[in-house]
Amino acid sequence: MSHATGSPDASRPHVVFVYGTLMDDRVVQALLTRSPPHVPACVHGVHRFCIKDRVFPAVHQTKNKDHVVKGRILYVTAEELDVLDNFEDPAYARLTLAAFVCVEGDGKDHECHKDGWFPCTHHNDLHHVRAEDGRPLAVRACVYAREKLDSDLYGEWDPTEQYLPARDWYVERAAGIGAELREKCWGDAGTDVPEKNSSS
């Protein structure tokens, strides 16, 4: 799996924070036909909820800076961002948040889980995680947009319980939706569009 340690190059890709099923390389590959450069990251002041009868989570902003969600930053093209935005649930809105690029205490990225899946909830102990250079990055993230939380939101999302049991089904679903979205967003250009600005 290709891995980036920072923003790719002068093409100035869009910096997107993902925290749920889009941390799965198989899902992103199904949607975008490639795995964009990425780094592990965390955002403070948000909480990741389970959604009733859904395998993906919802993140909602809170006033508590101790609430931390660990996820991944993707560096994507404008065309790829269009696909990702269209893939999101209508209840979500893309906002700009401050994210910290994270590494474990030994200075190495521990994103080495089998089959490209980064298990965010397995790394919630942030005592041994530091922000690179101590400075946040401005990132785009889809968050639950309604001020009042829906009754279907509850608890804290854990991919091992909410997502992984349905992973194969979800990846297959994402592949079908991805084909439709690429046709809608990219038109006749098809899968050639991201390669124009791609560094991977």
Side-chain angles (χ1 to χ4, degrees):
M1 178 178 65
S2 63
H3 182 80
T5 57
S7 181
D9 57 25
S11 61
R12 301 182 66 83
H14 292 269
V15 183
V16 179
F17 179 75
V18 296
Y19 51 82
T21 58
L22 288 177
M23 289 191 296
D24 187 346
D25 283 340
R26 291 175 58 190
V27 174
V28 176
Q29 182 77 32
L31 292 171
L32 304 180
T33 71
R34 73 166 187 141
S35 178
H38 55 266
V39 291
C42 59
V43 169
H44 293 253
V46 294
H47 181 79
R48 178 169 36 208
F49 288 94
C50 299
I51 308 175
K52 182 180 178 181
D53 299 326
R54 296 289 185 270
V55 301
F56 53 86
V59 155
H60 190 264
Q61 289 181 293
T62 71
K63 296 181 180 180
N64 190 342
K65 295 303 181 182
D66 290 333
H67 291 167
V68 178
V69 168
K70 187 157 185 199
R72 171 184 283 189
I73 287 174
L74 303 180
Y75 296 103
V76 300
T77 66
E79 293 83 3
E80 289 171 330
L81 180 61
D82 197 14
V83 170
L84 296 180
D85 281 346
N86 278 273
F87 181 67
E88 294 291 354
D89 189 280
Y92 296 178
R94 192 170 292 284
L95 304 179
T96 299
L97 302 177
F100 292 89
V101 175
C102 295
V103 293
E104 299 295 336
D106 59 6
K108 297 179 181 178
D109 174 12
H110 289 266
E111 199 180 10
C112 50
H113 192 267
K114 65 179 181 179
D115 204 17
W117 171 248
F118 176 49
C120 58
T121 57
H122 295 179
H123 297 279
N124 277 344
D125 182 1
L126 297 179
H127 294 295
H128 301 293
V129 178
R130 64 179 175 82
E132 191 171 60
D133 297 329
R135 295 176 296 179
L137 292 173
V139 297
R140 296 169 180 244
C142 278
V143 302
Y144 190 77
R146 299 168 185 165
E147 290 187 10
K148 186 177 180 179
L149 293 181
D150 192 287
S151 60
D152 287 343
L153 272 58
Y154 66 96
E156 185 169 359
W157 187 76
D158 183 340
T160 61
E161 295 182 7
Q162 277 75 43
Y163 173 62
L164 292 183
R167 186 188 191 198
D168 290 340
W169 166 81
Y170 193 82
V171 171
E172 183 177 354
R173 176 177 176 271
I177 295 175
E180 295 177 2
L181 292 180
R182 292 193 301 274
E183 176 63 26
K184 172 185 176 181
C185 299
W186 303 349
D188 294 338
T191 59
D192 292 335
V193 171
E195 301 302 327
K196 294 179 181 178
N197 297 318
S198 171
S199 63
S200 64

